[in-house]
Each structure stands twice: as structure tokens, then as C-alpha cells.
Amino acid sequence: PKAARALCVPSNGAEGRGDGPAASALQSPPADLTRIAPRRGGDFPVAEMAAVIDGRTVVPAHGSREMPVWGERFGEIVGHDMLGEAVIHSHLQVLIAYLQAIQQ
């Protein structure tokens, strides 16, 4: 998942701990991605993470979203027809697998 890691590095850092080179420019500090499961009692919330990463259906309660809406970004490249949506889903699954792999 080199490509998955590359998407997260600017904000979340090389190890996914929220210390990437762009982190200081964000209003809210990025999350430590290695602690998603521990913060939820050891369970990794696959569906929740898919929705957050995709970003097209998540409506923030307050403020704006600083994390890229990856569903839109991927869609700009591959389109939003049935095939494009399948590719977007595949990319999201790669990101989720990466996040699961770095849990501590």
C-alpha cells in the first residue's frame, strides 16, 4: 500500500501519527491513525472509516472538513459511472486495509 500511505503522509505523517509536514497548517491537528481501533475498544470500524475517507456522504456537525474528500478526488480521475464507482470503492478498500495494518 505505498499509494495508500502516500495519500496519508502529508497530514498524518510517514507512520500515520498525525505529524505530517502539512499538519501544522491545519486548523485541527490530524488524528493519530495508528490509534483508531484502540480508541474504539480494539475494534476497527470499517464502515465508519469508509464513509469518512470517501467523504461524500459525511456531513460534519460543526465546521468545515480539512481532510480531502477522497471519493470526489478519485471520481475526478475515474468518473462517477458504475465502473468509476467500482474503482473508487477499490481505492477506499486499499486505504482501509492500510489503516487496519497500522493499528497498534
Side-chain angles (χ1 to χ4, degrees):
K2 235 185 217 185
R5 187 171 171 248
L7 295 174
C8 301
V9 167
S11 296
N12 296 98
E15 302 300 319
R17 299 187 191 282
D19 58 354
S24 63
L26 300 174
Q27 284 185 347
S28 301
D32 180 345
L33 300 178
T34 68
R35 310 287 303 154
I36 295 169
R39 286 191 302 264
R40 289 168 174 79
D43 295 322
F44 187 85
V46 173
E48 178 186 346
M49 290 299 101
V52 169
I53 294 167
D54 182 312
R56 294 178 289 173
T57 59
V58 175
V59 179
H62 303 284
S64 65
R65 175 186 168 104
E66 290 188 89
M67 182 177 147
V69 177
W70 290 113
E72 282 299 324
R73 295 245 177 122
F74 295 147
E76 290 169 2
I77 298 166
V78 299
H80 291 285
D81 59 7
M82 277 183 58
L83 178 59
E85 287 297 322
V87 172
I88 291 168
H89 179 76
S90 176
H91 287 323
L92 295 175
Q93 294 305 310
V94 169
L95 284 168
I96 290 166
Y98 168 69
L99 291 175
Q100 286 179 299
I102 65 171
Q103 295 308 294
Q104 297 191 356

